[in-house]
Amino acid sequence: MGNSGGSLTTRSTGELHQLMREAGLTGIEDTKPLAEGWQVTDFADAGQHSLSTLVQRTGTPAVMVSFFDSDVGFIEALTPDGNSWEGLLNRDMAESYEIPLEHFPIEPAVAGALAWSATAGLTPDEEAVRQTLTGSALFAEELSSALLAALGLPGAT
């Protein structure tokens, strides 16, 4: 059985794990530093408003991917000014689980990802973003890592 938790990518000048707990995330694991203050932290579960609470408290953009058995990734991203977008990773696998793909249209997700990245002061790669949102992988975590790099997060591979 694969990962059914998630990962959160953000910047934080405070104690990120404490801020995550206060925002309703549980099962918080070690944080992996990227570059320029960006960090990726795995977690077991998130509450319904965890991302918005965390972005409010940190004042920085964040992207959260919740995994379903390592097969599918549900993306939520938000900036402090309220710009948000949602997406889906591993669409072929999602379809096999009968997840309604029409709830996760690709073009609005690509546009939202590019706007989120620009607001975060990053330089995204539009074609790479599109590839992660339409591609397939054995594990959704692989696509999540590729998405972070496509969004232009420094140090993401």
Side-chain angles (χ1 to χ4, degrees):
M1 188 156 153
N3 181 10
S4 289
S7 68
L8 174 82
T9 305
T10 191
R11 285 184 182 163
S12 177
T13 56
E15 184 5 72
L16 183 58
H17 288 192
Q18 181 61 33
L19 292 168
M20 290 174 70
R21 282 189 287 278
E22 290 171 3
L25 289 109
T26 62
I28 299 164
E29 297 180 17
D30 290 337
T31 296
K32 175 188 168 200
L34 296 176
E36 299 177 22
W38 288 95
Q39 307 168 58
V40 180
T41 305
D42 293 333
F43 60 87
D45 196 23
Q48 184 175 355
H49 301 289
S50 293
L51 184 63
S52 61
T53 301
L54 186 75
V55 168
Q56 273 184 324
R57 291 186 182 181
T58 62
T60 62
V63 61
M64 185 168 71
V65 181
S66 298
F67 299 106
F68 180 72
D69 201 20
S70 287
D71 291 332
V72 179
F74 298 93
I75 309 160
E76 290 180 77
L78 184 65
T79 63
D81 62 4
N83 286 333
S84 65
W85 67 278
E86 295 179 343
L88 185 67
L89 297 172
N90 236 6
R91 296 176 77 80
D92 291 343
M93 200 55 127
E95 193 169 36
S96 74
Y97 283 105
E98 299 182 5
I99 295 169
L101 300 183
E102 65 273 10
H103 292 181
F104 301 94
I106 293 167
E107 291 311 314
V110 170
L114 298 176
W116 179 93
S117 182
T119 300
L122 306 171
T123 304
D125 178 334
E126 181 175 350
E127 188 53 36
V129 168
R130 188 178 316 289
Q131 286 176 349
T132 62
L133 295 175
T134 59
S136 295
L138 182 57
F139 300 108
E141 290 86 350
E142 296 170 35
L143 291 170
S144 179
S145 294
L147 176 65
L148 297 181
L151 291 170
L153 284 150
T157 57

